[in-house]
Amino acid sequence: MQARAVLASVLAVALVLSGCAQPERTIASHPVQSTPSPAPPSPHPTVSKPAKPPLRPLPAKLPAGLRRNTGERPVVLTFDDGPSPAWTPKVLDQLRAAKVTATFCVVGREVQRHPDLVRRIVREGHQLCNHSWRHDLELARRPVDEIQADLARTNKAIQKAAPGAKVPFYRQPGGRWTSEVLDVAKGLGMRPLHWSVDPQDWDKPNAATIGKRIHAAARPGAIVLLHDGGGNRAATLAACPHLIADLKKRFGITKLR
């Protein structure tokens, strides 16, 4: 028994010395490298638009060279701001009934929208006049290249609507003329068309007032300004039969030459 106890003790010592009891392993910890956050995208450089050139001042008086008279006794009727599907056909019906012709100063974007009305104007023997692309009251004060592009664009739309139609005149919106717009119009083969009688039908007076104003202001060779577009033209339309008859009786009504 004593021998067995001694043997057991010897075996226990041997196990310790042989390394059967493994030491605890230590795992080396590597330092964690932090990933840098991506830099925020740099803002796109702001491209500043070039400043628009200042508008030229309007001349103190209307420039020379504007057509303001027929040069003969008969007067001329002009209708601006169309063509309008609401009013132009009715104006054309009245002109046809009275057997007279007129000059229609058409706006380019309305021509583009209603080419059939441009064709009817031409087909029924009336004249066309370029009245700018969008009735820009400040057009004549803008850079010459902008004026050129505007008038040329309008002529192109007219020619597309009515191939071969003549556009012998240009009328500046609001009558706000400058020498620059006159030169551009002439360079495109158009004469600058103004007026001598303005009943201000654009301000929507009643039909009787329109007729009275035209009767009082008309003289031999007058160029009468009226509107068939740009708004409600019921009063102008109502005034037309009487004013046409009055002008036809007193002076006659002609086509611009």
Side-chain angles (χ1 to χ4, degrees):
M1 291 292 292
Q2 189 176 5
R4 288 180 181 178
V6 172
L7 180 59
S9 299
V10 172
L11 287 173
V13 172
L15 286 170
V16 171
L17 294 176
S18 65
C20 290
Q22 297 291 332
E24 184 180 355
R25 292 184 180 179
T26 302
I27 300 174
S29 60
H30 298 284
V32 178
Q33 296 180 349
S34 59
T35 305
S37 301
S42 59
H44 295 292
T46 303
V47 179
S48 58
K49 294 182 179 179
K52 290 187 176 181
L55 297 177
R56 286 184 301 276
L58 287 172
K61 61 180 181 178
L62 289 174
L66 299 178
R67 185 75 180 273
R68 305 176 70 178
N69 191 282
T70 67
E72 51 186 333
R73 183 171 180 79
V75 304
V76 163
L77 299 175
T78 65
F79 292 90
D80 284 18
D81 299 356
S84 160
W87 307 109
T88 304
K90 295 174 182 178
V91 170
L92 288 168
D93 289 347
Q94 292 195 3
L95 295 173
R96 182 170 56 189
K99 298 180 180 179
V100 297
T101 55
T103 300
F104 286 82
C105 301
V106 294
V107 175
R109 63 183 178 184
E110 300 306 320
V111 168
Q112 189 177 62
R113 291 167 181 162
H114 311 294
D116 54 319
L117 293 178
V118 180
R119 288 191 287 272
R120 181 179 170 186
I121 289 169
V122 174
R123 186 170 64 249
E124 295 188 4
H126 306 287
Q127 288 180 312
L128 292 174
C129 169
N130 182 322
H131 197 33
S132 82
W133 179 256
R134 59 181 181 88
H135 202 271
D136 179 4
L137 291 172
E138 305 298 350
L139 179 62
R141 303 174 63 198
R142 300 192 187 281
V144 170
D145 59 343
E146 289 187 29
I147 300 173
Q148 175 84 24
D150 188 291
L151 272 58
R153 184 183 185 188
T154 303
N155 277 348
K156 185 176 180 181
I158 293 171
Q159 289 301 319
K160 184 176 181 181
K166 294 181 179 179
V167 189
F169 302 101
Y170 171 73
R171 174 172 279 170
Q172 171 60 25
R176 296 161 66 90
W177 297 93
T178 62
S179 59
E180 288 82 3
V181 77
L182 262 70
D183 290 342
V184 171
K186 290 176 181 177
L188 291 171
M190 298 182 290
R191 288 170 281 169
L193 177 61
H194 198 64
W195 58 82
S196 56
V197 177
D198 177 9
Q200 299 184 356
D201 66 329
W202 46 267
D203 199 30
K204 298 183 176 63
N206 60 38
T209 299
I210 294 172
K212 287 177 183 177
R213 288 174 178 175
I214 292 176
H215 180 84
R219 300 288 184 273
I223 296 176
V224 181
L225 171 63
L226 292 163
H227 294 80
D228 67 320
N232 186 325
R233 301 306 175 200
T236 301
L237 189 70
C240 275
H242 177 74
L243 72 86
I244 289 173
D246 178 58
L247 293 173
K248 193 175 179 181
K249 180 180 178 180
R250 293 167 65 200
F251 309 107
I253 297 175
T254 190
K255 183 186 292 188
L256 278 169
R257 294 176 175 81

